[in-house]
Amino acid sequence: MPATDLNKSGWEQSDFPVLCETCLGDNPFVRMSKQEFGRSCGTCARPFTVFRWNPGSGSRYKTTVICQTCAKIKNVCQTCLLDLEYGLPTQIRDTALGFVNEAPTSDINREYYAQNMEGKLEGNKSGLDIGKAQSAGKEMLKQLARTDPYYKRNRPKICTFFVKGECNRGAECPYRHEKPVDNELAHQNIQDRYHGRNDPVARKILTNHAESQGLKPPEDQTITSLFLSSLSPNSTELSIRTRVLQSLTSVEPAQLKSVVHVAKSRCAFINFKEREICEQAAQAWANGLDIDGERVTVKWGRSKPSNSAKATPAASPVTVGA
Ligand SMILES: [Zn+2]
Ligand SMILES: [Zn+2]
Ligand SMILES: [Zn+2]
């Protein structure tokens, strides 16, 4: 390496970007301009090779916003940050598959981490090990996936002058003359989308999907339990607890109040401390949960009968939802 390049050690160079079909566009002869160390990566901050291209007529120019290493770590597109296999926000994928977010979110470590991962990811290998994921989660992703390219996403941006009633370029204007719909995506930042947190779009999709699977959250906010049925005869309280925590990577063990296993009826109550966490679990398990080789059915628990002075424990099988 020439002496003048020493400062650049750890910066990223690449020959072709990692892109989803939509961002690449429908033009088979797409021409890309390439700028080495053109800007710093939106997630790890290292300078990287930036690509810019037009994905097809009537589209806006697109550009890569995160480096290739960061894209591979999360198996996402360098431009839209959606998962490459399912075309979904990372928050949905990671919720369904129970992936741990290993990429550091603090400014101090993220550059070092990306640099370190670069050596570990050979070729186009992704940093995710989908093989270990539970099959109910994969099934959920298949239902939610966008499989065809969605070129509408490549349209020009809405003209800000038009919105203010000030654009006089008429048909010549390269931007869209439309009223903006309040799009929650506009309020998101790259870091959140990449790490799959606080993603309003993902939350909405997960909420709708859980409801469509019969897991609409009950109105009674005191209900913080989920009921699992058709468990394997081999399941134990420990195996259930272990699997539950493994599949809910954002949940701390302390947020799980108790696991009550009723071996005789092959069912269990998963009691959470907070309603919010319980709702997240219901979304993650909308297609069921694989425990000890069985696909377990998940339902919301029911309200406790309020007339009982002796206070039926929350985990009593009497409170089971239908
Ligand atoms: Zn990066
Ligand atoms: Zn993309
Ligand atoms: Zn305009």
Side-chain angles (χ1 to χ4, degrees):
M1 188 189 289
T4 48
D5 278 353
L6 270 181
N7 288 338
K8 294 180 181 170
S9 68
W11 291 15
E12 191 191 78
Q13 275 174 295
S14 53
D15 295 324
F16 200 81
V18 171
L19 295 174
C20 72
E21 259 187 280
T22 299
C23 289
L24 194 56
D26 55 359
N27 180 357
F29 306 106
V30 63
R31 290 171 67 162
M32 299 212 172
S33 72
K34 173 176 151 181
Q35 198 190 359
E36 275 187 14
F37 314 132
R39 65 156 94 173
S40 37
C41 167
T43 59
C44 79
R46 296 183 310 156
F48 72 106
T49 306
V50 174
F51 294 89
R52 191 171 179 270
W53 70 99
N54 188 323
S57 60
S59 305
R60 67 172 189 272
Y61 269 83
K62 299 212 118 180
T63 175
T64 48
V65 295
I66 63 168
C67 79
Q68 195 155 115
T69 304
C70 283
K72 284 181 190 168
I73 290 170
K74 284 285 220 176
N75 199 40
V76 295
C77 169
Q78 275 185 270
T79 294
C80 68
L81 274 59
L82 295 176
D83 175 75
L84 286 170
E85 188 176 349
Y86 300 101
L88 293 167
T90 56
Q91 187 169 334
I92 296 183
R93 181 198 64 197
D94 296 356
T95 300
L97 300 182
F99 279 147
V100 193
N101 178 20
E102 276 164 351
T105 51
S106 83
D107 287 358
I108 309 142
N109 296 322
R110 58 187 193 176
E111 255 181 85
Y112 171 75
Y113 179 81
Q115 204 173 313
N116 201 27
M117 282 303 281
E118 198 178 317
K120 290 185 186 161
L121 304 163
E122 336 116 22
N124 277 324
K125 216 177 128 232
S126 127
L128 300 178
D129 186 0
I130 298 203
K132 276 192 283 183
Q134 63 144 336
S135 71
K138 284 190 215 167
E139 192 180 287
M140 173 164 144
L141 289 180
K142 277 193 199 125
Q143 283 177 12
L144 296 173
R146 183 182 279 285
T147 45
D148 302 323
Y150 182 60
Y151 297 125
K152 227 176 148 183
R153 222 172 54 212
N154 297 339
R155 288 180 304 170
K157 302 241 189 257
I158 288 180
C159 176
T160 49
F161 292 98
F162 173 80
V163 172
K164 287 184 276 179
E166 289 168 8
C167 183
N168 45 28
R169 291 201 273 184
E172 300 281 279
C173 181
Y175 300 98
R176 269 153 63 209
H177 281 189
E178 289 172 21
K179 284 263 149 57
V181 276
D182 186 32
N183 187 348
E184 284 170 313
L185 267 174
H187 309 298
Q188 270 184 313
N189 64 49
I190 288 185
Q191 293 279 346
D192 280 352
R193 273 170 60 204
Y194 178 77
H195 292 291
R197 58 187 182 199
N198 311 319
D199 182 340
V201 177
R203 193 49 68 208
K204 191 182 268 176
I205 295 172
L206 288 169
T207 305
N208 290 343
H209 181 69
E211 284 190 17
S212 77
Q213 300 291 108
L215 282 163
K216 187 177 170 33
E219 265 160 42
D220 180 351
Q221 292 292 316
T222 64
I223 300 174
T224 52
S225 303
L226 294 175
F227 175 66
L228 310 183
S229 56
S230 11
L231 283 158
S232 157
N234 301 324
S235 284
T236 62
E237 196 174 298
L238 180 66
S239 72
I240 298 165
R241 168 182 286 273
T242 307
R243 187 72 190 93
V244 160
L245 286 172
Q246 187 190 39
S247 79
L248 303 172
T249 51
S250 57
V251 173
E252 303 285 332
Q255 290 168 312
L256 187 59
K257 196 160 124 197
S258 60
V259 171
V260 180
H261 182 210
V262 188
K264 202 172 56 183
S265 13
R266 289 168 59 184
C267 63
F269 289 87
I270 314 297
N271 302 311
F272 295 91
K273 285 201 177 138
E274 287 162 48
R275 167 69 171 220
E276 161 94 28
I277 305 286
C278 193
E279 287 187 20
Q280 281 176 24
Q283 290 171 356
W285 303 339
N287 287 53
L289 179 63
D290 299 294
I291 308 179
D292 300 316
E294 287 294 326
R295 175 75 55 88
V296 170
T297 311
V298 180
K299 292 229 158 45
W300 274 91
R302 267 205 205 158
S303 312
K304 286 180 240 178
S306 51
N307 54 358
S308 162
K310 272 191 258 169
T312 320
S316 159
V318 185
T319 62
V320 173

